[in-house]
């Protein structure tokens, strides 16, 4: 049996090639697995579980079909789908995880998270995150009509876009001391996250212990999957339709 991890698909009606690759993955590959973990930024932006568009409905149906077939499916919110909530999960059978969750991957304790919380040098983002994560603000926002929420989101996105362009690339990566602090806090030596779009398997020693941090890739040019079973842990790619690129990076 296998366990699959994905993140940073940024699904949107504007990028049908990504959606097609995801649909092929969830229909043909995910049903063979025992579990699928989606570690955030599944959507380019998720304005709320009241999204009634055909696009949102299609994605919900794909998850529902997967969980109905017996595959466990877990979701961690990303910085682009922090408004995905209980209703989506009830409709799809997906289980919502805490921002940081310890799971068991074939006998190994692993901490799974989106990864944004590890970027402690990106102080402007973290301040913004704290604002939009306030329960009262989300409570109010979630009660607005969907079209009003879409207007607010696109206004805020417009204001933020410029800000990211002026950021140094290093502040948008994880802070190693924070990685180590969090791993110590959760008592794990394996961490799996996305967000930075820098797929890699990092090995390092912290307090004399061998640690591994696996970073999932985005789906901008191909599908990206972390494939795990009892023998192997591998970052793999899935080609978009019409492209033949495919490769993997082995952990063990
Ligand atoms: O995903 P990526 O890599 O492109 O960028 C992220 C960070 N950006 C974001 C922004 C979101 O994608 C867009 C959010 C729109 C939200 C609308 C919410 C409406 C209200 C909801 C209320 C419940 O996540 C980016 C990081 C980058 O990752 C790191 O890789 O740097 O962060 C930013 O660019 C954030 C800016 O630095 C923050 C600037 C503050 C501007 C204040 C605007 C007003 C806020 C009003 C809040 C209600
Ligand atoms: Mn992200």
């Amino acid at each position: 049996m296998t366990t699959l991890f994905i993140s940073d698909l940024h699904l949107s009606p504007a990028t049908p090639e990504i959606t097609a690759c995801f649909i092929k993955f969830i229909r043909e590959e995910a049903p063979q697995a025992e579990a699928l973990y989606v570690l955030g930024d599944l959507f380019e932006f998720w304005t709320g579980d009241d999204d009634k568009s055909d696009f949102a409905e299609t994605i919900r149906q794909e998850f529902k079909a997967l969980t109905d077939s017996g595959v466990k499916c877990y979701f961690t919110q990303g910085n682009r789908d922090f408004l995905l909530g209980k209703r989506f999960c009830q409709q799809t059978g997906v289980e919502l995880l805490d921002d940081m969750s310890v799971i068991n991957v074939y006998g190994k304790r692993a901490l799974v998270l989106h990864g944004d919380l590890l970027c402690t040098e990106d102080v402007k983002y973290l301040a913004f995150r704290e604002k939009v994560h306030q329960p009262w603000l989300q409570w109010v926002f979630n009660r607005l009509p969907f079209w009003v929420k879409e207007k607010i989101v696109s206004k805020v996105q417009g204001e933020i876009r410029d800000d990211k362009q002026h950021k140094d690339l290093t502040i948008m990566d994880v802070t190693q001391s924070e990685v180590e602090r969090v791993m110590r806090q959760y008592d794990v030596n394996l961490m799996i996250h996305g967000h930075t779009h820098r797929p890699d398997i990092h090995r390092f020693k912290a307090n004399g212990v061998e640690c591994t941090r696996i970073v999932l890739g985005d789906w901008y040019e191909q599908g990206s999957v972390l494939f795990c079973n009892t023998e192997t842990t591998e970052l793999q790619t899935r080609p978009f339709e019409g492209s033949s690129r495919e490769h993997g990076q082995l952990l063990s």
Side-chain angles (χ1 to χ4, degrees):
M1 280 310 254
T2 61
T3 297
L4 304 169
F5 297 83
I6 56 173
S7 71
D8 303 284
L9 290 86
H10 292 218
L11 294 178
S12 133
T15 49
E17 67 287 1
I18 305 179
T19 307
C21 187
F22 169 68
I23 288 180
K24 188 168 158 47
F25 166 81
I26 201 166
R27 285 186 188 171
E28 295 175 14
E29 190 174 340
Q32 322 298 323
E34 60 181 296
L36 169 67
Y37 287 84
V38 183
L39 300 186
D41 288 4
L42 171 69
F43 293 103
E44 176 68 3
F45 197 79
W46 185 254
T47 300
D49 291 354
D50 53 341
D51 187 339
K52 295 187 178 68
S53 65
D54 290 346
F55 177 75
E57 194 44 39
T58 301
I59 304 301
R60 278 193 288 260
Q61 278 170 14
E62 294 297 336
F63 277 105
K64 174 90 170 71
L66 182 67
T67 59
D68 279 351
S69 78
V71 178
K72 291 265 185 211
C73 195
Y74 302 93
F75 187 89
T76 302
Q77 294 170 331
N79 57 294
R80 288 162 174 270
D81 39 27
F82 62 93
L83 293 168
L84 189 145
K86 284 194 189 124
R87 196 150 125 202
F88 180 96
C89 292
Q90 276 156 8
Q91 288 166 336
T92 58
V94 168
E95 191 180 318
L96 196 59
L97 296 178
D98 289 339
D99 284 346
M100 295 191 192
S101 299
V102 177
I103 63 166
N104 187 313
V105 190
Y106 304 112
K108 277 188 210 150
R109 274 165 61 80
L111 183 69
V112 294
L113 66 166
H114 178 56
D116 52 340
L117 285 168
L118 300 170
C119 304
T120 52
E121 287 183 44
D122 198 347
V123 285
K124 278 179 103 176
Y125 165 69
L126 289 178
F128 170 79
R129 185 186 192 279
E130 214 169 294
K131 267 197 200 99
V132 296
H133 273 257
Q134 292 174 106
W136 72 267
L137 186 61
Q138 291 194 5
W139 190 90
V140 172
F141 187 79
N142 284 335
R143 272 146 194 86
L144 298 172
F146 192 76
W147 67 270
V148 176
K149 296 197 291 183
E150 280 192 308
K151 279 220 150 83
I152 296 174
V153 167
S154 92
K155 189 155 192 322
V156 176
Q157 279 172 329
E159 277 168 41
I160 288 176
R161 207 157 283 139
D162 282 349
D163 202 60
K164 191 182 152 189
Q165 270 156 20
H166 296 114
K167 282 184 192 173
D168 190 296
L169 278 181
T170 57
I171 76 155
M172 293 194 281
D173 201 356
V174 301
T175 308
Q176 181 62 22
S177 57
E178 182 64 3
V179 167
E180 293 177 17
R181 189 193 68 76
V182 167
M183 287 178 89
R184 219 173 22 250
Q185 182 186 342
Y186 286 89
D187 190 24
V188 293
N189 49 30
L190 174 61
M191 170 186 266
I192 305 171
H193 69 84
H195 182 65
T196 60
H197 301 205
R198 302 177 203 212
D200 212 339
I201 296 173
H202 301 271
R203 291 183 189 80
F204 54 94
K205 252 191 168 161
N207 292 324
V209 182
E210 289 292 340
C211 295
T212 304
R213 176 171 68 92
I214 303 179
V215 188
L216 308 178
D218 63 48
W219 284 52
Y220 284 167
E221 283 165 18
Q222 72 275 303
S224 302
V225 180
L226 175 68
F227 179 98
C228 293
N229 60 23
T230 46
E231 280 92 49
T232 184
T233 300
E234 191 179 20
L235 279 170
Q236 301 176 343
T237 58
R238 303 286 177 266
F240 283 173
E241 206 77 343
S243 140
S244 59
R245 266 190 297 165
E246 189 164 6
H247 71 270
Q249 182 188 352
L250 269 179
L251 170 67
S252 56

